[in-house]
């Protein structure tokens, strides 16, 4: 049974940086697509997705040029990262990672087979 665990959230000032991590274990996630999502409010927003190899990525317009998604498939536990730069107050929210055998640009729960429990990011001025 696979599980995803996020870490790295916290409080940061406007213009600062954070790096989120997601540890995926319990099954062979190294062949699965993964993604980052956030809940700034009631609606979940897709932030970035990456295919199993790391060679294909997609970013939402709101974070393009500021955030970078990457992954490390080298070990039994796959690590997904989100490097966030030049953070803005509107980047605040709970950030989730997700994984699925298929790469999707949907933020719907049913589009991703596994979800983490989230890590909170607070950006203050």
């Amino acid at each position: 049974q696979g599980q995803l665990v996020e870490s790295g959230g916290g409080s940061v000032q406007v213009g600062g940086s954070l790096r989120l991590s997601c540890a995926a274990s319990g099954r062979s996630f190294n062949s699965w697509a993964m993604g980052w999502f956030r809940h700034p409010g009631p609606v979940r927003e897709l932030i970035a997705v990456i295919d199993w190899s790391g060679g294909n990525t997609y970013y939402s317009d709101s974070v393009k040029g500021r955030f970078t998604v990457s992954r490390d498939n080298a070990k039994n536990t796959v690590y997904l990262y989100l490097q966030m730069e030049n953070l803005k107050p509107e980047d605040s929210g709970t950030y989730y990672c997700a994984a699925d055998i298929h790469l999707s640009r949907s933020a719907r729960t049913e589009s991703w087979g596994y979800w983490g429990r989230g890590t909170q990011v607070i950006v203050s001025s």
Side-chain angles (χ1 to χ4, degrees):
Q1 191 76 359
Q3 67 171 356
L4 308 180
V5 180
E6 302 93 339
S7 61
S11 297
V12 63
Q13 291 191 327
V14 169
S17 303
L18 277 176
R19 189 194 197 203
L20 304 184
S21 300
C22 171
S25 62
R27 67 171 306 145
S28 299
F29 285 109
N30 52 10
S31 60
W32 287 44
M34 300 185 75
W36 285 102
F37 304 80
R38 69 184 176 196
H39 264 292
V43 178
R44 183 186 297 136
E45 176 187 3
L46 181 149
I47 299 301
V49 296
I50 187 168
D51 73 353
W52 68 272
S53 71
N56 185 13
T57 59
Y58 170 82
Y59 297 90
S60 67
D61 288 342
S62 62
V63 306
K64 196 175 296 181
R66 299 188 299 121
F67 290 12
T68 303
V69 62
S70 61
R71 64 188 293 162
D72 182 354
N73 291 338
K75 301 179 181 179
N76 289 336
T77 296
V78 172
Y79 288 92
L80 178 72
Y81 302 105
L82 186 68
Q83 180 67 42
M84 306 187 292
E85 305 285 350
N86 190 21
L87 284 161
K88 305 175 181 180
E90 53 264 40
D91 293 319
S92 297
T94 302
Y95 283 68
Y96 299 86
C97 65
D100 196 85
I101 194 69
H102 300 292
L103 181 63
S104 171
R105 295 184 183 182
S106 170
R108 298 176 65 179
T109 301
E110 57 267 31
S111 295
W112 297 83
Y114 290 90
W115 288 88
R117 294 192 174 186
T119 185
Q120 190 170 24
V121 172
I122 300 172
V123 184
S124 58
S125 56

